[in-house]
Amino acid sequence: MLALRWYAIRMAPSLTRALTSMTNGSQSPPDMSEVRSRLRAIVGASTNWSDHVQAMHDRKALHTLLAKRQEDLPPRKMSDSYIEVILPLGSQPELRETYLNVHNSVRFGRILEDLDSLGVLICYTHTKHEAPLRSPLSIVTALVDKIDLCKKVIYPDCDIKFTGNVSWVGKTSMEVKMHMLQVGLHDSAYSPVLDATFVMVARDPENKRPAFVNPLIPEGPEEEEIYEKGESNKMRRVDFSSTSLLKMAPTAEERNIVHSIFLNTLDTRTVSFRSRVLPPNSVWMEDAKLKSLEICHPQERNIFNRIFGGFLMRKAFELGWATACSYGGSRPFIVAVDDIMFQRPVEIGSLLFLSAQVCYTENNYIQIRVHSEVYDSDTREHKTTNVFHFTFMSESEVPQIVPKTYGESMLYLDGKRHFTATMTETREVEKTTAAP
């Protein structure tokens, strides 16, 4: 499994041509500013807010370039979409300032923004047409399937390298594997920091209907195994969704857990189901949440004139981090991000409400769920846009979170499911790493 995880990093040097050849003939990997410039050029987006609406209107004419069937599109290899990008924190102090946090390390929320931009560009590279200057596809992030970190601290004054490629393709969707590495403090070698799996979807020029993407042909046993992993990831997501607590009752084991928590909080001095007592070193779930509000300004728009998905992830992560910090009483470290579903776009001018909740704890781990919704002033309705799941590790053991209502118990079980999945995968990787 570990060999697959870092296979893309070790791919042949010839694969780096994918983006290098697109940036003024430069022989060195581009940086993130070039990634975003390239995205604007591919779509035809304007950097001026006043011209942006017209630019999006002009994209309608690209509708004729869409393929009627996936079979009409030429197949691609994994190497065709491979990209390397440098984040020169070591050599550009002015850039370093925008990534710095109060603990003198890199803001992980900024990394989420970079991963989102890179993932979209990788997919555009996979679907690149030779003839048209602009792509007829609108490629957007549908899901952050998983981000696993293997380092607690990201240094603010050492260069970072991102690599990635398309690893699986459906009819209108693409899975993207990305890896982040950083130069060490005392040597010039890159070492792994995280790996991420995103799912992107392709839509028509107006971002209204699905559009076909180029099929992917794996080459060799390693790529075939990566592709099969992408297929199994899809099936895992379908299974996880079908057994959601919003659709099905908890399992027998989960029902016992909820009932055990309930019995542990009953006041033995009374004979009442209503009388509840908080156990020692515990916190009621209702007292472990933080909320925030964002006004969605034009400066945070993406290339399709909606609010940038990376911005939403950064804001959700930072609220989740603050919640974990206030709950644990010490600095938390991000361990994993998983199952971020982009359910609907966020329009410019929206009021975005974010609510972070501690939903599960175990030893020094804190599972945070962040719910985001937009408020429609015309209909006075709140509509869910995203649900984010973050696993944090505190420096010391944290209080037990205790649900009181049935709804909170379902949040608790959902958090436990996400935490268990994260820890299971982490242990599997550790076993693979330790194997001779």
Side-chain angles (χ1 to χ4, degrees):
M1 182 175 178
L2 190 66
L4 292 180
R5 177 178 293 250
W6 298 111
Y7 167 69
I9 297 174
R10 303 193 307 271
M11 294 173 86
S14 61
L15 305 185
T16 62
R17 64 167 177 80
L19 183 60
T20 303
S21 61
M22 296 192 297
T23 53
N24 303 322
S26 171
Q27 294 305 306
S28 60
D31 58 25
M32 275 297 163
S33 64
E34 292 177 80
V35 168
R36 295 185 173 99
S37 295
R38 179 61 187 166
L39 283 174
R40 286 192 294 270
I42 289 172
V43 174
S46 173
T47 55
N48 298 321
W49 166 244
S50 59
D51 300 332
H52 201 83
V53 175
Q54 182 61 43
M56 292 297 99
H57 179 77
D58 293 342
R59 280 183 55 78
K60 294 180 180 180
L62 300 174
H63 194 278
T64 58
L65 300 176
L66 293 175
K68 299 295 188 295
R69 305 179 308 158
Q70 188 180 40
E71 293 76 14
D72 296 334
L73 295 169
R76 305 289 194 215
K77 300 179 293 184
M78 289 188 186
S79 59
D80 291 331
S81 62
Y82 181 80
I83 289 177
E84 287 188 4
V85 176
I86 295 296
L87 186 62
L89 299 181
S91 56
Q92 296 186 16
E94 66 281 0
L95 177 64
R96 191 183 310 158
E97 286 295 312
T98 65
Y99 282 80
L100 194 65
N101 66 24
V102 69
H103 298 288
N104 197 36
S105 60
V106 169
R107 292 173 62 182
F108 184 68
R110 293 291 188 194
I111 299 301
L112 291 175
E113 290 182 320
D114 291 343
L115 287 171
D116 194 48
S117 294
L118 179 60
V120 174
L121 183 58
I122 287 172
C123 289
Y124 271 121
T125 306
H126 173 82
T127 60
K128 181 183 177 183
H129 292 260
E130 297 299 331
L133 180 63
R134 290 182 294 165
S135 173
L137 299 177
S138 298
I139 297 177
V140 295
T141 306
L143 171 73
V144 177
D145 184 63
K146 195 74 174 174
I147 302 176
D148 291 310
L149 289 93
C150 54
K151 281 191 176 181
K152 289 174 62 175
V153 177
I154 306 173
Y155 304 118
D157 50 1
C158 297
D159 285 355
I160 287 172
K161 180 195 291 185
F162 295 95
T163 69
N165 61 276
V166 172
S167 53
W168 175 88
V169 168
K171 292 287 187 181
T172 63
S173 60
M174 294 164 280
E175 181 189 88
V176 179
K177 291 283 189 184
M178 291 175 285
H179 310 279
M180 175 177 154
L181 307 94
Q182 186 169 40
V183 173
L185 286 174
H186 306 295
D187 59 62
S188 58
Y190 281 99
S191 59
V193 176
L194 65 79
D195 67 331
T197 304
F198 282 43
V199 177
M200 309 291 183
V201 293
R203 302 177 69 81
D204 65 12
E206 297 180 73
N207 199 8
K208 292 182 178 180
R209 288 172 292 276
F212 294 113
V213 298
N214 302 67
L216 180 66
I217 306 298
E219 295 184 314
E222 284 186 295
E223 289 191 4
E224 287 175 0
E225 196 167 349
I226 291 172
Y227 192 87
E228 289 172 2
K229 176 64 175 175
E231 190 68 36
S232 66
N233 286 341
K234 177 187 175 183
M235 299 307 299
R236 170 181 52 80
R237 291 190 291 266
V238 171
D239 292 341
F240 197 85
S241 175
S242 64
T243 58
S244 167
L245 291 167
L246 294 171
K247 299 177 181 178
M248 295 184 63
T251 64
E253 181 183 358
E254 290 173 333
R255 291 195 294 271
N256 287 335
I257 291 173
V258 170
H259 194 64
S260 176
I261 292 173
F262 173 73
L263 294 177
N264 196 40
T265 60
L266 281 179
D267 189 346
T268 56
R269 297 170 300 179
T270 67
V271 188
S272 171
F273 288 113
R274 289 179 169 272
S275 183
R276 308 284 291 276
V277 176
L278 188 66
N281 194 33
S282 301
V283 176
W284 290 120
M285 187 177 283
E286 64 185 10
D287 298 325
K289 66 176 69 173
L290 290 178
K291 296 184 177 183
S292 69
L293 165 67
E294 295 291 334
I295 301 174
C296 298
H297 295 291
Q299 290 83 356
E300 306 301 339
R301 70 186 186 277
N302 63 13
I303 54 178
F304 301 114
N305 214 26
R306 265 65 178 266
I307 294 301
F308 175 41
F311 171 79
L312 300 176
M313 286 192 284
R314 173 164 64 86
K315 287 299 180 180
F317 167 78
E318 291 179 349
L319 181 63
W321 184 93
T323 305
C325 183
S326 62
Y327 183 85
S330 62
R331 178 187 178 186
F333 297 91
I334 184 68
V335 174
V337 181
D338 75 300
D339 197 26
I340 300 178
M341 180 71 74
F342 288 79
Q343 298 184 23
R344 67 176 69 240
V346 178
E347 303 292 342
I348 294 170
S350 299
L351 297 181
L352 179 69
F353 293 87
L354 296 168
S355 177
Q357 173 74 69
V358 176
C359 55
Y360 182 76
T361 56
E362 187 172 312
N363 299 324
N364 61 330
Y365 289 99
I366 306 171
Q367 189 71 31
I368 302 286
R369 179 183 188 269
V370 180
H371 177 266
S372 70
E373 60 184 15
V374 291
Y375 173 70
D376 189 324
S377 58
D378 294 330
T379 62
R380 296 183 179 275
E381 292 181 337
H382 290 258
K383 297 179 180 179
T384 298
T385 62
N386 302 83
V387 177
F388 306 82
H389 299 275
F390 302 106
T391 305
F392 290 96
M393 181 175 64
S394 186
E395 294 177 323
S396 56
E397 189 167 339
V398 301
Q400 287 276 336
I401 195 72
V402 181
K404 184 180 288 187
T405 67
Y406 186 81
E408 288 179 349
S409 296
M410 296 304 100
L411 281 178
Y412 180 91
L413 293 178
D414 186 62
K416 186 178 188 302
R417 288 182 179 185
H418 283 280
F419 175 77
T420 300
T422 293
M423 291 296 103
T424 299
E425 185 167 333
T426 299
R427 282 191 284 269
E428 287 177 354
V429 172
E430 289 175 348
K431 286 180 182 178
T432 307
T433 306

